[in-house]
Amino acid sequence: MPREPLEAILLVGGKGTRLRPLTLSAPKPLLPTAGVPFLAHQLTRAAECGISHVVLATSYRAEMFAEAFGDGSSFGLSIDYMYEEEPLGTGGGIRNASSRLKGGPEDPVVILNGDILSGHDLPAQVDLHRKRDAAVTLHLVEVDDPSRYGCVPTDGDGRVTAFLEKTPDPVTNRINAGCYVFKRSVIDAIPAGEVVSVERETFPGIIEAGELIMGYDESAYWLDVGTPEAFVRGSADVVLGHMPSPALAGEPGESLVLAGASVAEGAQVSGGTVVGAGSVVETGATVHGSVLFDDARIREGAVVTDSIIGRGAVIEGGAVIEGAVIGDRASIGSGNEVARGLRIWPDVRLEPTSVRFSADV
Ligand code: GDD
Ligand code: MG
């Protein structure tokens, strides 16, 4: 049965601080992920789920979004761009972007955090929202460490009873998955032109006022890619097919080698690794579960695992990179071991050495 066209707001104004130095030159939602800008995965899924009009709520590096996605027609979408000169927070950003919405006060509006990979059934979430005539319906998932997220307890009927953003004392493992359905009139009630947090102000306020916020529980694939570890995992999961994405060019597999990249015979590239355009993996090099941005070079005998290698970076033979971020154009000399959690800033040169760089020292 054809569904009514839906509208969405995508929140993409954050600075992506936890992904520095990668986000110094591009905002988090535009980082190359399985061969395309991250947001392309969300936009193609949105279009598949019946969304026809998207407003991007931008602030940091705003101009780069329109350059990447234009009017949205290549996704079968119509995309508008709204800008916050000073970031207005999640609630303020939603309110600012809402001036471009076309629907009426009772219509549902889908809001998406711009750093989420989710395989959940969005139309089913919208159906629940409509059926219960809720003010807001939140997608909820269970995680091991809820203190890093919005903790969301519900009653037996699925009604949200509290919203506790990044609380040190979570009362449940169920958290806000960053995909909301709002009744349009609820967005219009957010004060305009002010910094507002939807998590810390709007949701608790709605609950306080006795209006209905519903939880939509579904434990499909879900990941917030806001840290380097999560970002590489998300990219690899798309390449491997663990997170099905219509934006993936080609079939899922052990690696994605983009046009203009080269992987020598005798090199091992596996675990969902992406080899960016112009990048070279020389014979005898091993790359597992990693993302190589464009024009990187992994020399003979280097070992790269679970890492992000920036544009134009060079990893010399004998270097070992594990769970690390190597900034654009950095060069890691032979013998260096760059351990889990380390970030090497752009243009840094690590000379050949026998010293071990570790996150513990
Ligand atoms: N337009 C705009 N303006 N967007 C913003 C702003 C702003 O001032 N601040 C943040 N955003 C966008 C970010 O770009 C991102 O897409 C989204 O809002 C969420 O921000 P994050 O910085 O990624 O938040 P988080 O991951 O710590 O927490 C949020 O997501 C969790 C799920 O992954 C919260 O919504 C939590 O409650 C939730 O559990
Ligand atoms: Mg996030």
Side-chain angles (χ1 to χ4, degrees):
M1 196 177 68
R3 293 174 183 275
E4 274 176 57
L6 276 168
E7 295 189 284
I9 294 172
L10 255 81
L11 288 168
V12 293
K15 290 204 172 84
T17 317
R18 286 166 295 180
L19 276 170
R20 279 188 193 155
L22 303 171
T23 43
L24 294 176
S25 51
K28 170 166 67 171
L30 294 184
L31 291 178
T33 310
V36 291
F38 179 81
L39 215 58
H41 299 289
Q42 287 186 302
L43 291 171
T44 48
R45 269 194 65 85
E48 270 200 348
C49 290
I51 289 168
S52 57
H53 177 217
V54 174
V55 187
L56 292 196
T58 70
S59 182
Y60 178 64
R61 300 250 167 195
E63 71 295 342
M64 294 181 76
F65 289 93
E67 282 163 24
F69 304 118
D71 66 0
S73 52
S74 60
F75 295 93
L77 294 166
S78 145
I79 301 182
D80 277 322
Y81 300 87
M82 283 300 285
Y83 174 63
E84 298 150 45
E85 184 149 357
E86 287 302 319
L88 291 171
T90 46
I94 293 168
R95 179 66 172 88
N96 189 53
S98 72
S99 65
R100 294 295 171 94
L101 295 173
K102 295 169 181 156
E106 291 296 304
D107 285 336
V109 180
V110 175
I111 318 277
L112 297 166
N113 283 355
D115 59 352
I116 301 292
L117 285 173
S118 177
H120 83 287
D121 185 347
L122 177 61
Q125 183 183 348
V126 176
D127 284 349
L128 175 72
H129 176 81
R130 285 199 162 109
K131 199 167 95 205
R132 298 298 300 268
D133 192 28
V136 180
T137 301
L138 312 177
H139 176 214
L140 306 179
V141 291
E142 283 195 18
V143 295
D144 292 336
D145 179 10
S147 64
R148 292 166 49 207
Y149 302 95
C151 174
V152 184
T154 54
D155 69 11
D157 194 33
R159 181 184 190 119
V160 171
T161 53
F163 195 106
L164 310 159
E165 182 69 8
K166 305 205 171 78
T167 171
D169 308 304
V171 292
T172 167
N173 283 38
R174 198 166 292 142
I175 59 124
N176 165 31
C179 172
Y180 323 124
V181 187
F182 268 69
K183 199 180 270 197
R184 165 77 195 264
S185 57
V186 176
I187 299 176
D188 294 338
I190 298 172
E194 288 178 23
V195 177
V196 179
S197 161
V198 83
E199 296 90 347
R200 295 180 193 276
E201 296 164 70
T202 311
F203 294 146
I206 294 171
I207 295 165
E208 180 103 329
E211 288 179 60
L212 177 61
I213 300 188
M214 281 299 294
Y216 171 77
D217 274 309
E218 191 187 324
S219 51
Y221 181 99
W222 183 86
L223 188 67
D224 174 331
V225 301
T227 63
E229 306 76 53
F231 178 78
V232 271
R233 202 166 91 226
S235 176
D237 283 344
V238 171
V239 172
L240 291 165
H242 298 164
M243 166 64 206
S245 171
L248 176 67
E251 293 299 307
E254 279 295 309
S255 64
L256 175 66
V257 179
L258 297 180
S262 95
V263 174
E265 226 173 284
Q268 281 182 44
V269 177
S270 61
T273 291
V274 180
V275 184
S279 284
V280 176
V281 183
E282 296 183 2
T283 188
T286 303
V287 186
H288 184 82
S290 296
V291 181
L292 313 186
F293 287 1
D294 294 351
D295 302 315
R297 189 154 200 123
I298 314 298
R299 295 224 194 259
E300 181 169 355
V303 178
V304 176
T305 312
D306 302 341
S307 295
I308 307 166
I309 310 297
R311 211 173 278 263
V314 179
I315 313 299
E316 297 290 351
V320 177
I321 316 291
E322 189 175 334
V325 178
I326 307 298
D328 293 347
R329 300 169 306 277
S331 150
I332 310 298
S334 177
N336 286 290
E337 290 187 27
V338 184
R340 214 159 268 282
L342 266 188
R343 297 150 197 243
I344 303 296
W345 239 240
D347 299 302
V348 164
R349 286 183 66 84
L350 296 186
E351 298 301 332
T353 181
S354 55
V355 174
R356 185 164 193 278
F357 285 85
S358 145
D360 314 325
V361 290

